[in-house]
Amino acid sequence: MTRAESAESWLLQRCGRWSSALLSGFSEPFPCCRCSCRRRLLSGIMVCFRLAPVPGCGFLLFCLVLGTVSSYALELNLTDSSKATCLYAKWQMNFTIRYETTDKHNKTVTISDFDAAAYNGSVCGDDQNGPKIAVQFGSGFSWIVNFTKEASSTSTYLVDSISFSYDTNDNATFPDAKEKGVFTVNNRVALKIPLNDIFRCNSLSTLEKSDVVQHYWDVHVQAFVQNGTVSTTEFLCDKDKTVTTAMPIVPTTAPSPTKPVVGSYSVVNSNGTCLLATMGLQLNITHDKVASVFNINPNTTNATGSCQPQTALLRLSSSNIKYLDFVFAVKNENRFYLKEVNVSVILVNGSVYSISNTNLSYWDAPLGSSYMCNKEQTVSVSGALQINTFDLRVQPFSVTEGKYSTADISLRQRLLRAGRAFRGDSHIGSWTSFSLR
């Protein structure tokens, strides 16, 4: 029995025929509901709604599993000849690569799929050579971290350097790349860590060099494991260290966190308007312990993009937003959803903040319709970036005559209808949501 089937069986046992009727009326994730979760701890997410009493049935509990969440994208437990652990690491990462095309345009690709990663070349190290983590993934990608012991110290070691290589001969990943070949970016890190501690950094860290931006988070690593036992003593990165209880300082020049103005955006190709979007947008960024809130002004924002049979892109840009990409994709040949968000903004202090997530699953609706949700929603791009949307309506495919198609019904509307059917009126009781570990 699959996880979804087990969840449905549990639901029917607990909620009876009422939940069965509700369950049959939903064919998509819940667009207007939030479920707070900790990605590292969850094996699945369950959302439950407690509705007002149904005559003769008490409170109605409606539950549905939304999906599973992986524990870590990458994890390595390296052992020596005696089968004792000598190096341990688990972490999440992605890479954003900019390259020039044959028609002299710049394209950006994000690499975040490590399902088939191999660790060939990872070693524990010896008296002559330090430990090394080597990861190969995708088509021609490799990532290497070198560790060294300090000659002047017997109590610390260094995360010495990180190198990342990619091959633009892969036309599927780098279509129309002007320069073909293998490119390598080397970053000197020189991070000092106590010898008997495990390094932890749950916060987002960024390395940027040449045309490559590297993002890391949820990092746990111990390169010189003593006596085959991973340490329980953590050495924290600066971003994870306990700070004072004072609220983060919001730059005075940042817009106030009021509801943003709703703007209308569109993408046009040779066949006419192919993508429509209407929404108020608010970026919430935490960078270097400073929280910033950006309300996007549609009057000073440019919209561009592209439409393909299986994907569609809406790119927004302005004086302080280098790009804000919403990438939509088709799934199962009959639905669309928001699959990817890429962001690069100029912060108040002049620094550039960039982040990408290519494994999202928001705004799901049938092809031939538009997705609409008037309530405030949050798209969680990373632990450091959330995008709030207001009065949202999007249609990235099958736009006819430049107009929205019928909107797919929201969860709230469905629950209202279910409430009327079960109880004869439109009153809905309290809603609660929780996550199961």
Side-chain angles (χ1 to χ4, degrees):
M1 181 179 292
T2 67
R3 183 186 298 271
E5 290 169 342
S6 298
E8 182 174 349
S9 174
W10 179 92
L11 174 63
L12 295 178
Q13 292 174 12
R14 294 294 182 92
C15 303
R17 64 186 181 91
W18 304 110
S19 62
S20 176
L22 272 172
L23 185 63
S24 65
F26 288 85
S27 59
E28 62 176 286
F30 300 150
C32 291
C33 300
R34 301 180 183 177
C35 182
S36 176
C37 65
R38 295 182 64 188
R39 184 177 182 184
R40 294 184 295 111
L41 297 177
L42 291 179
S43 60
I45 302 173
M46 180 173 289
V47 177
C48 295
F49 301 93
R50 186 183 63 168
L51 306 184
V54 177
C57 192
F59 276 97
L60 171 64
L61 185 66
F62 171 54
C63 318
L64 191 65
V65 170
L66 298 185
T68 60
V69 181
S70 60
S71 298
Y72 276 93
L74 293 158
E75 184 167 8
L76 174 65
N77 191 340
L78 198 63
T79 58
D80 58 22
S81 57
S82 63
K83 304 301 181 183
T85 298
C86 59
L87 186 155
Y88 177 76
K90 57 183 178 181
W91 71 103
Q92 301 229 39
M93 64 182 181
N94 65 30
F95 306 89
T96 300
I97 306 166
R98 184 180 62 187
Y99 69 97
E100 186 178 0
T101 62
T102 52
D103 57 0
K104 297 183 179 181
H105 288 86
N106 286 326
K107 278 191 176 182
T108 300
V109 61
T110 299
I111 310 301
S112 60
D113 185 0
F114 309 105
D115 286 344
Y119 300 90
N120 301 323
S122 299
V123 295
C124 295
D126 51 34
D127 293 337
Q128 286 75 39
N129 302 294
K132 177 172 67 176
I133 299 175
V135 185
Q136 304 81 41
F137 50 93
S139 179
F141 296 100
S142 67
W143 181 78
I144 297 174
V145 183
N146 290 295
F147 304 89
T148 60
K149 279 188 178 180
E150 286 192 293
S152 59
S153 174
T154 59
S155 61
T156 59
Y157 71 92
L158 295 176
V159 180
D160 190 40
S161 62
I162 296 176
S163 65
F164 171 65
S165 299
Y166 58 98
D167 189 355
T168 56
N169 287 302
D170 177 11
N171 292 323
T173 306
F174 302 97
D176 304 319
K178 179 180 179 181
E179 296 186 40
K180 300 290 187 179
V182 177
F183 297 86
T184 300
V185 176
N186 294 298
N187 290 86
R188 174 73 172 168
V189 180
L191 174 65
K192 186 182 296 187
I193 301 173
L195 188 60
N196 296 319
D197 293 357
I198 183 169
F199 173 72
R200 189 199 82 186
C201 194
N202 291 335
S203 302
L204 182 71
S205 300
T206 302
L207 293 176
E208 186 168 357
K209 188 174 182 180
S210 300
D211 293 322
V212 177
V213 180
Q214 306 177 45
H215 300 290
Y216 304 97
W217 66 100
D218 286 346
V219 176
H220 294 69
V221 62
Q222 185 175 359
F224 293 88
V225 177
Q226 306 297 298
N227 302 318
T229 303
V230 177
S231 176
T232 57
T233 303
E234 295 182 330
F235 178 76
L236 305 183
C237 65
D238 290 340
K239 290 183 179 181
D240 278 12
K241 289 178 181 177
T242 303
V243 296
T244 62
T245 56
M247 292 296 291
I249 299 173
V250 178
T252 56
T253 55
S256 59
T258 56
K259 184 176 178 180
V261 176
V262 176
S264 295
Y265 311 98
S266 62
V267 175
V268 178
N269 62 11
S270 58
N271 296 320
T273 301
C274 58
L275 183 152
L276 292 170
T278 304
M279 53 190 166
L281 289 170
Q282 185 180 81
L283 307 185
N284 292 265
I285 299 172
T286 302
H287 183 62
D288 291 336
K289 301 178 183 178
V290 177
S292 302
V293 179
F294 295 89
N295 282 349
I296 294 181
N297 182 356
N299 297 321
T300 58
T301 300
N302 297 318
T304 58
S306 61
C307 299
Q308 306 296 330
Q310 297 295 314
T311 60
L313 164 68
L314 172 64
R315 165 166 287 191
L316 304 180
S317 59
S318 64
S319 59
N320 65 329
I321 300 175
K322 298 177 69 175
Y323 56 81
L324 169 55
D325 292 347
F326 295 95
V327 181
F328 301 87
V330 174
K331 67 177 180 181
N332 302 326
E333 302 301 324
N334 60 2
R335 302 187 71 83
F336 70 82
Y337 69 106
L338 177 65
K339 180 179 185 295
E340 178 180 340
V341 168
N342 307 308
V343 181
S344 183
V345 299
I346 301 172
L347 302 178
V348 174
N349 62 8
S351 63
V352 177
Y353 174 83
S354 301
I355 187 67
S356 240
N357 191 331
T358 62
N359 292 310
L360 300 175
S361 184
Y362 292 94
W363 307 350
D364 183 292
L367 284 175
S369 69
S370 59
Y371 173 89
M372 183 170 68
C373 187
N374 293 328
K375 298 295 182 181
E376 178 183 354
Q377 285 186 276
T378 298
V379 174
S380 182
V381 180
S382 73
L385 171 63
Q386 290 79 44
I387 301 176
N388 294 334
T389 65
F390 302 80
D391 297 319
L392 170 69
R393 189 171 187 180
V394 292
Q395 186 171 345
F397 301 98
S398 306
V399 177
T400 303
E401 297 180 352
K403 298 178 181 179
Y404 283 111
S405 300
T406 302
D408 192 48
I409 192 169
S410 71
L411 172 68
R412 182 174 178 82
Q413 289 170 303
R414 293 189 183 191
L415 287 176
L416 285 170
R417 290 186 181 182
R420 293 190 190 102
F422 293 143
R423 303 195 303 107
D425 59 44
S426 61
H427 177 71
I428 297 296
S430 61
W431 294 18
T432 61
S433 65
F434 60 91
S435 57
L436 296 182
R437 299 182 180 181

